[in-house]
Amino acid sequence: MAPTTDLSLEDIHALVLAVLQAHGADAANAAAVAETVTRAERDRALSHGLFRVPGYVKALKSGKVKGDARPELNATTPAVMRCDARNAFAPMAHKTCLPALIEAAQTFGLAGVSIQRCHHFAALWPEIETLSEAGLVGITCVSYLPWVAPHGGRAPIFGTNPFGFAWPRPGQDPIVIDMATASMAMGEVQIAAREGHAVPLGTGLSPEGELTTDAAEIAKGVLLPFGGHKGSALALMIELLAGPMVGEAFSYESKERDNGDGGPAQGGQFILAMSPDVFSGTEWAAQTERFVDRYGDIDGARLPGAKRHAARRDPGPRSVNTPLLEEIRALLP
């Protein structure tokens, strides 16, 4: 087990802010990413927190990501918007488009945004939880670099292709699903490799195309979709929604144009917001709570996202991998 160092959430935020600004991000861009990283550490989602900071820095240093980008939002219809992120990190694009998306969905019942020229490197729940806090249902998906083989294949064509779904519960934690269509997110595989942990058989293949539980071999080889043909079909759906649907590239095309710096590739994001108040016209919130009560009566059942929501109620320090922390601190001037 690697050694750890305790850091407060305030210190984590300050560290990320300082590192990003030292490598070309202006105050607004650095703050947007630092907030996202801190929220991941707060929720103990280690594969999307400080673990990502070296990759953010690589993208800034290579010039692939513009540290002073100001995304531009344009309405194509009253309920559909297009956001040109202008090669910003995704959190900066979300700061630009989510307020307008919320207003449109509350007005028309449904609204969507396509984000182009975006560099997404984080979990999906921050953006869709923002929608749920406004009383909206949120759905989003992104593609990425091709790391996942389709069912029956051994060559990658899909990204890990996660999707997120958030359902509002007034006065309660929302129901939040955030999952890769790969058997495991690549960040989790990389952390398992770093820690020397085995992963379940079926997570991926070695470079020779053999099933293995060795995370380091899978990181060099290929991931598999979860659930066989079912996960593969969902990954295909996300390739279409996060690619041509939003005017962006497929995962394999993202790799072909990427500079290979180790930072997040350029891609697209699809976000849909829906108002249950407008759609339902009934007591949807009370109906939801009746379902949640019934669900909670099942021994061992836990709502998606509940573990993250429980973690965030602890305001104390977080245990950070010490070698990772030293790597990040070494990026400071």
Side-chain angles (χ1 to χ4, degrees):
M1 181 69 69
T4 61
T5 301
D6 284 351
L7 277 186
S8 70
L9 293 173
E10 292 78 9
D11 286 343
I12 288 170
H13 186 275
L15 175 62
V16 178
L17 197 66
V19 167
L20 295 178
Q21 287 186 288
H23 291 279
D26 65 16
N29 281 267
V33 174
E35 179 183 347
T36 296
V37 170
T38 304
R39 290 174 75 174
E41 292 291 335
R42 176 200 65 186
D43 292 1
R44 294 191 169 91
L46 304 186
S47 62
H48 290 92
L50 288 168
F51 176 72
R52 301 281 176 169
V53 171
Y56 284 123
V57 170
K58 290 174 182 176
L60 286 168
K61 290 176 69 175
S62 75
K64 179 171 68 180
V65 169
K66 305 304 180 186
D68 60 353
R70 292 295 182 268
E72 180 181 358
L73 183 66
N74 292 292
T76 56
T77 78
V80 178
M81 288 156 273
R82 188 176 299 141
C83 178
D84 179 358
R86 294 181 170 177
N87 291 111
F89 290 124
M92 190 66 184
H94 300 151
K95 292 286 186 183
T96 300
C97 69
L98 291 185
L101 179 66
I102 289 168
E103 182 179 359
Q106 290 173 336
T107 301
F108 300 106
L110 180 149
V113 63
S114 61
I115 303 179
Q116 303 167 347
R117 293 204 294 166
C118 174
H119 295 262
H120 204 295
F121 209 41
L124 293 174
W125 81 80
E127 49 263 44
I128 54 172
E129 282 199 19
T130 298
L131 300 179
S132 70
E133 290 164 3
L136 301 172
V137 177
I139 299 175
T140 188
C141 60
V142 296
S143 57
Y144 195 55
L145 297 174
W147 283 331
V148 182
H151 178 61
R154 296 186 178 186
I157 192 169
F158 300 140
T160 53
N161 288 15
F163 68 88
F165 171 87
W167 181 273
R169 294 174 61 204
Q172 304 286 338
D173 294 326
I175 298 170
V176 181
I177 301 168
D178 182 353
M179 57 177 282
T181 52
S183 54
M184 185 179 289
M186 180 56 82
E188 294 175 356
V189 172
Q190 291 167 334
I191 287 179
R194 182 189 72 191
E195 303 288 346
H197 298 157
V199 295
L201 195 66
T203 298
L205 307 176
S206 70
E208 293 73 36
E210 301 296 328
L211 283 168
T212 178
T213 62
D214 187 329
E217 286 295 292
I218 293 170
K220 294 183 291 186
V222 64
L223 287 166
L224 295 174
F226 84 89
H229 66 281
K230 294 183 179 181
S232 187
L234 288 174
L236 173 58
M237 177 187 74
I238 291 167
E239 284 285 340
L240 295 168
L241 288 175
M245 182 69 174
V246 298
E248 258 292 352
F250 289 112
S251 292
Y252 76 89
E253 293 172 324
S254 293
K255 181 178 180 179
E256 289 171 355
R257 71 186 180 191
D258 189 57
N259 65 8
D261 62 4
Q266 178 188 315
Q269 182 171 7
F270 170 83
I271 308 178
L272 185 68
M274 297 171 284
S275 169
D277 287 331
V278 175
F279 268 89
S280 176
T282 64
E283 293 297 318
W284 62 269
Q287 184 182 6
T288 298
E289 293 312 305
R290 290 194 295 272
F291 173 83
V292 170
D293 289 343
R294 180 69 66 90
Y295 188 98
D297 288 339
I298 300 173
D299 187 43
R302 185 182 70 197
L303 286 173
K307 186 176 180 180
R308 291 193 298 271
H309 293 137
R312 72 180 57 167
R313 283 188 273 274
D314 175 7
R318 297 300 190 259
S319 295
V320 177
N321 178 273
T322 301
L324 172 63
L325 182 58
E326 292 172 349
E327 179 185 358
I328 293 171
R329 283 175 170 165
L331 296 169
L332 290 169

